[in-house]
Amino acid sequence: MATHVPPDRYLDIWIRRAVAHWRITRDRQTRILVAAPLATQPALVTAVNDAIAGERTRLDGIPGPFRSPAWSQITRHRRHVLVCRGPRCTAYGADHVAAALGNRLKEHGLGDDDVLVTATGCLFPCNLGPLVVVYPDDTWYEQVDADLAVRITDEHLRDGMPVDGRRPRDS
């Protein structure tokens, strides 16, 4: 299986460090191959296009709207929650954190008008991830796992009390 990841210098640095770490911490040899970006591989692009044409699969159809009136309004919300989905936070389990937040919000009947959850790129500092930030409270949660995500939802987002007495960062 091959996967194409968009070029991103932070992801590139992280992948290199992760591979170095895997080589040190694994008993067996880890083999990682990183291909050049697709745009620099015209033969690959031609091969993909030929394969598509050979299967008589066309890249056309009726386009859906790229804009909708429903996407023209900023939703009214009491809190905005940012979930870091940068490469390190994702490696540390941010996908489980986001799922736990979403599931628990749904259980409480809290929608986008109450709590707007947004996945972000890297929020820094990476060694404290996964990170979750609640605005307008400016409360940062560090090393969040699924259990802490549930507590954040119950105590902070539903009841209005930051978990474990955490308060906004000093400016």
Side-chain angles (χ1 to χ4, degrees), residues 57-162:
T57 302
R58 299 185 60 164
L59 297 177
D60 62 5
I62 300 170
F66 283 99
R67 295 198 180 262
S68 164
W71 303 330
S72 299
Q73 301 283 328
I74 297 173
T75 62
R76 299 179 70 80
H77 51 275
R78 290 182 298 123
R79 291 197 171 82
H80 193 175
V81 176
L82 307 178
V83 178
C84 180
R85 293 304 302 267
R88 289 168 195 82
C89 284
T90 297
Y92 297 145
D95 53 338
H96 301 294
V97 170
L101 278 169
N103 292 337
R104 195 63 167 192
L105 287 168
K106 188 175 182 178
E107 288 175 19
H108 290 310
L110 298 172
D112 287 349
D113 55 337
D114 300 299
V115 179
L116 180 61
V117 179
T118 304
T120 71
C122 184
L123 290 172
F124 297 101
C126 301
N127 287 341
L128 301 179
L131 295 166
V132 171
V133 185
V134 179
Y135 285 108
D137 308 341
D138 193 25
T139 302
W140 288 63
Y141 292 99
E142 305 162 357
Q143 298 176 339
V144 178
D145 59 14
D147 292 336
L148 180 53
V150 167
R151 288 190 60 208
I152 292 167
T153 305
D154 293 351
E155 297 173 30
H156 193 158
L157 303 177
R158 182 190 64 193
D159 298 340
M161 297 298 298

